[in-house]
Amino acid sequence: MNDTFLKACRGEQTDYTPIWIMRQAGRYLPEYQKIRGNVTFLELCKTPELCLEVTLQPIDILNVDAAILFSDILIPLEAMGTTLEFHEGHGPVFPTPIRNQADLDKLIVPNPEEHTGFVMETITLLRKELQVPLIGFAGAPFTCATYLIEGGSSKVFWETKKMMYTNPKLFHNMMRKITKTTALYLKAQANAGAQALQIFDSWVGILSPSDFQTYALPYVQEMIRDLQDTGLPIIYFANNGATLLELSETSGANILGLDWRINIGDAIKRLGNTAVQGNLDPFSLLLPKDELKKRIGRILDDAKDAKGHIFNLGHGIHQFTPPDQAKAAVDFVHELSQKQSH
Ligand code: 1CP
């Protein structure tokens, strides 16, 4: 069993810096495309045997030090009683967005085992196969709320901010319901065998620090407090969150995920005792290998004073990335961070 990732999560000494890659299972892998060619994305998410297979693909192909459950942050939102559709080439759509209290009242706080049992079953299957630790995950309440309010992906988040500023009561009611749902969902993943939990806050970077404190952070804090009894390391990834770093540390997470817009050494100086994860620009994987290696070396060097460092990209791997470049990055991280034995 390779437990380097879990050791780094706990801030313990490791023989080398562990690496995994956000969205490591997915469209850039021909092996994924092959399976995905026969089923829709949602069918894939709801078939444990297939989820098992695609979760294992990057472990074998890239030699990463952790696995992340194959699923999606939108799965527990569908279980709240909404309709979720994926339109090929256009991303997710919720045809009936949540815009008033009556819409919200129709949503339930689902029992995760009952409504998303396929996720727990995937975790059970994975734990029998894996030689590396398994990360479970969910979206952070704010990021989940944007999908429900906008009715899908967004660039300007007009409806979300409109609700925050013109109907804060409704917005907070909604955040409370999502927080309960995601906390239960992550607890169920822990019970099923997940060994670390990551909370993805992909869109929280659109908030000012003060709005982050009012509208998003309290719910992340509540969720993490609620998850303490699982005893699992918790990673909070606030994408585009360099201006929210000190506040993010008050979330209670053991590890903060960093995007590439901040120097990792500067981030570590600003943080107290929290481990970090990151933070190579995903597009750096397009660089010639010698330059890619230099950039990875620089990040490892900048992160040398971290309480714990898990190498990752600063956001998900892009779908057109050549897999051999991702493999080279993993090898470089392992090679360059190898501790000399005396
Ligand atoms: O067509 C396909 O095959 C679907 C592509 C795809 C995949 C492979 C989607 C649709 N989701 C996923 C898997 C996924 N999503 C994983 C597991 C895979 C892994 O990491 O190895 C995870 C952790 C996610 C998380 C996720 N889904 C996030 C947070 C991470 C991030 O990148 O910021 C978000 C925002 C989503 C929503 C989502 N899922 C898929 C799409 C197209 C979107 C919309 C993204 C957007 O709004 O821009």
Side-chain angles (χ1 to χ4, degrees):
M1 177 71 186
N2 171 359
D3 65 349
T4 312
F5 165 80
L6 289 176
K7 280 188 175 157
C9 285
R10 295 191 293 256
E12 294 168 13
Q13 285 290 328
T14 54
D15 296 337
Y16 62 88
T17 303
I19 171 172
W20 69 279
I21 292 179
M22 284 190 277
R23 302 279 200 119
Q24 65 192 12
R27 288 175 289 188
Y28 73 105
L29 288 177
E31 293 83 353
Y32 170 86
Q33 296 281 15
K34 193 162 172 238
I35 291 178
R36 182 64 175 76
N38 303 320
V39 288
T40 67
F41 176 64
L42 282 176
E43 282 166 350
L44 173 53
C45 285
K46 294 175 186 180
T47 312
E49 291 74 19
L50 294 181
C51 288
L52 167 72
E53 209 174 326
V54 293
T55 304
L56 294 176
Q57 285 173 348
I59 316 302
D60 300 335
I61 297 166
L62 304 180
N63 191 30
V64 283
D65 298 290
I68 182 159
L69 166 71
F70 189 85
S71 188
D72 199 88
I73 62 164
L74 306 176
I75 291 289
L77 303 184
E78 185 189 38
M80 292 176 84
T82 54
T83 303
L84 168 62
E85 295 167 1
F86 274 89
H87 297 178
E88 288 302 329
H90 288 281
V93 176
F94 290 98
T96 49
I98 308 302
R99 303 264 170 91
N100 56 47
Q101 188 64 44
D103 293 338
L104 179 61
D105 288 342
K106 286 191 204 120
L107 298 186
I108 59 161
V109 174
N111 174 325
E113 276 92 3
E114 197 182 311
H115 290 87
T116 46
F118 48 88
V119 171
M120 312 314 149
E121 210 177 302
T122 302
I123 294 174
T124 310
L125 293 177
L126 275 163
R127 285 301 307 278
K128 290 189 192 132
E129 296 285 330
L130 281 170
Q131 298 302 315
V132 294
L134 176 63
I135 305 167
F137 72 91
F142 180 78
T143 289
C144 292
T146 67
Y147 284 98
L148 290 177
I149 300 169
E150 303 290 335
S153 303
S154 180
K155 284 204 166 71
V156 287
F157 300 95
W158 169 261
E159 295 291 344
T160 306
K161 287 202 171 173
K162 188 167 111 186
M163 189 189 290
M164 276 165 51
Y165 295 146
T166 65
N167 196 346
K169 188 161 173 261
L170 172 62
F171 183 84
H172 285 291
N173 285 345
M174 180 150 167
M175 290 293 280
R176 269 192 290 276
K177 208 162 198 175
I178 298 172
T179 303
K180 270 194 208 129
T181 297
T182 20
L184 284 174
Y185 180 65
L186 285 176
K187 271 191 191 182
Q189 291 187 30
N191 282 338
Q195 292 159 290
L197 300 170
Q198 173 150 325
I199 302 168
F200 284 93
D201 222 343
S202 305
W203 310 126
V204 79
I206 64 161
L207 296 180
S208 68
S210 141
D211 279 353
F212 175 58
Q213 236 172 331
T214 307
Y215 297 102
L217 178 62
Y219 300 98
V220 181
Q221 288 169 333
E222 187 184 323
M223 224 169 115
I224 292 178
R225 254 196 320 271
D226 222 20
L227 292 167
Q228 286 311 306
D229 56 2
T230 65
L232 299 186
I234 296 170
I235 309 167
Y236 176 55
F237 172 59
N239 182 38
N240 219 336
T243 55
L244 310 175
L245 200 58
E246 286 82 1
L247 288 171
S248 293
E249 197 173 25
T250 71
S251 67
N254 310 88
I255 303 110
L256 289 182
L258 303 170
D259 66 68
W260 68 92
R261 299 168 187 90
I262 186 169
N263 173 280
I264 198 167
D266 292 343
I268 291 160
K269 276 192 214 112
R270 282 166 56 187
L271 295 171
N273 236 359
T274 311
V276 290
Q277 173 176 281
N279 73 342
L280 184 71
D281 178 349
F283 287 80
S284 304
L285 295 176
L286 295 176
L287 286 166
K289 287 203 171 63
D290 56 334
E291 284 182 49
L292 173 61
K293 187 171 182 178
K294 266 189 224 145
R295 280 207 188 195
I296 288 172
R298 232 178 292 146
I299 290 175
L300 288 168
D301 200 40
D302 288 342
K304 64 184 182 311
D305 295 330
K307 189 191 166 220
H309 179 210
I310 298 149
F311 205 100
N312 207 315
L313 302 183
H315 201 176
I317 189 168
H318 189 272
Q319 65 164 312
F320 299 128
T321 308
D324 78 297
Q325 290 286 104
K327 166 82 176 120
V330 173
D331 290 345
F332 290 147
V333 170
H334 285 159
E335 179 197 329
L336 294 172
S337 66
Q338 201 66 238
K339 305 284 183 305
Q340 303 297 325
S341 46
H342 298 284

